[in-house]
């Protein structure tokens, strides 16, 4: 490489010292000396430069091949990506459709189950209310009959007491003291009859009030059972057992 640089320096010196050709910028150089120096440069150059020149000569071809291969790879990758995206989109649409169908089935089943629970609860409530109405009618009828019987008994007792007092009054009417005693006894008997009638009426009222209180408690229990049933329907905990709840009470 030292000879290469030395020959190049000599070529530069020859060109600088050459005689010019006016009016151009050309010059006259000794051809033999220049060719000898160029031969020295060619011989002094290492063989690797020739290989490098070959590489440089094939550089454009290699770059073109690499670019074409890269473009083909990118195109293939894009095509594969498009196919993958399309397949993924189709899979996602299919999965979404399956999920939506499953959700629709579950909603339909839940709605059907809820409707069945509501229907069962309404039927149970209607049965409970019908039983309560029958019990109410029975209790009211018994209370009414018992009240009528006690009232009739009180009236009969009152009428007997009045009749006895009047008979006693008529029997003793001929004597003043006896009459006064008869009046007192008659008043006592009448007061006792009124008191007995009031007592019988109070007993009748108490009996009717106790029966009505029992029926009121039955209706309250029924209403609470229906409320719990509705709450269980809203929370989805199943069909309530109204009859078992009433028996526990």
């Amino acid at each position: 490489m030292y000879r290469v640089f030395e020959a190049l320096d000599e070529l530069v010196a020859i060109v600088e010292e050459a005689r010019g050709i006016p009016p151009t910028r050309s010059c006259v150089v000794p051809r033999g000396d220049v060719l000898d120096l160029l031969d020295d440069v060619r011989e002094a150059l290492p063989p690797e430069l020739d290989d490098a020149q070959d590489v440089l000569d094939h550089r454009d071809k290699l770059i073109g091949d690499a670019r074409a291969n890269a473009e083909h790879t990118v195109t293939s990758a894009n095509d594969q990506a498009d196919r993958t995206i399309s397949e993924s989109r189709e899979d996602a649409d299919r999965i979404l459709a399956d999920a939506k169908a499953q959700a629709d089935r579950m909603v339909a089943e839940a709605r059907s189950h809820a409707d069945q629970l509501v229907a069962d609860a309404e039927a149970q409530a209607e049965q409970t209310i019908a039983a309560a109405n029958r019990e109410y009618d029975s209790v009211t009828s018994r209370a009414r009959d018992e009240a009528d019987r006690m009232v009739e008994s009180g009236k009969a007792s009152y009428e007997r007491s009045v009749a006895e007092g009047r008979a006693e009054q008529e029997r003793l009417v001929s004597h003043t003291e006896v009459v006064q005693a008869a009046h007192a006894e008659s008043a006592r008997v009448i007061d006792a009859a009124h008191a007995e009638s009031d007592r019988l009426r109070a007993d009748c009222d108490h009996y009717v009030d106790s029966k009505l209180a029992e029926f009121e408690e039955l209706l309250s229990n029924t209403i609470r059972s229906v409320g719990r049933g509705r709450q269980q329907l809203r929370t989805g905990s199943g069909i309530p057992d109204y009859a078992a709840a009433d028996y526990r009470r």
Side-chain angles (χ1 to χ4, degrees), residues 198-213:
D198 292 338
R199 186 185 65 79
L200 291 175
R201 185 176 296 278
D203 292 341
C204 179
D205 292 339
H206 177 71
Y207 177 77
V208 173
D209 181 69
S210 64
K211 292 299 182 181
L212 291 177

Side-chain angles (χ1 to χ4, degrees), residues 75-220:
T75 302
S76 300
N78 289 332
D79 294 339
Q80 182 65 30
D82 292 338
R83 287 194 299 270
T84 302
I85 292 172
S86 178
E87 293 174 356
S88 299
R89 185 178 292 108
E90 292 176 357
D91 292 339
D93 292 339
R94 184 175 62 256
I95 293 172
L96 181 61
D98 294 340
K100 186 177 183 300
Q102 181 68 20
D104 292 338
R105 287 195 298 270
M106 294 177 66
V107 170
E109 293 175 358
R111 184 179 292 109
S112 176
H113 184 62
D115 293 339
Q116 183 64 37
L117 291 176
V118 171
D120 294 340
E122 289 178 351
Q124 184 67 26
E126 290 176 356
Q127 293 176 2
T128 304
I129 292 173
N133 288 332
R134 291 193 297 269
E135 182 67 19
Y136 170 76
D137 294 337
S138 177
V139 171
T140 303
S141 178
R142 291 197 300 270
R144 188 180 296 109
D145 294 340
E146 183 67 17
D148 294 339
R149 186 187 65 78
M150 295 179 70
V151 169
E152 291 297 329
S153 177
K155 286 182 179 179
S157 178
Y158 172 75
E159 291 175 356
R160 286 194 303 271
S161 299
V162 171
E164 290 175 357
R166 287 178 178 175
E168 184 67 17
Q169 181 181 12
E170 291 174 357
R171 188 179 65 82
L172 299 175
V173 72
S174 59
H175 302 284
T176 304
E177 294 179 358
V178 175
V179 169
Q180 292 177 354
H183 280 295
E185 182 64 18
S186 176
R188 186 188 65 77
V189 171
I190 291 172
D191 291 338
H194 281 294
E196 181 65 17
S197 177
D198 292 338
R199 186 185 65 79
L200 291 175
R201 185 176 296 278
D203 292 341
C204 179
D205 292 339
H206 177 71
Y207 177 77
V208 173
D209 181 69
S210 64
K211 292 299 182 181
L212 291 177
E214 292 176 359
F215 180 69
E216 181 182 7
E217 184 178 359
L218 176 61
L219 287 181
S220 297

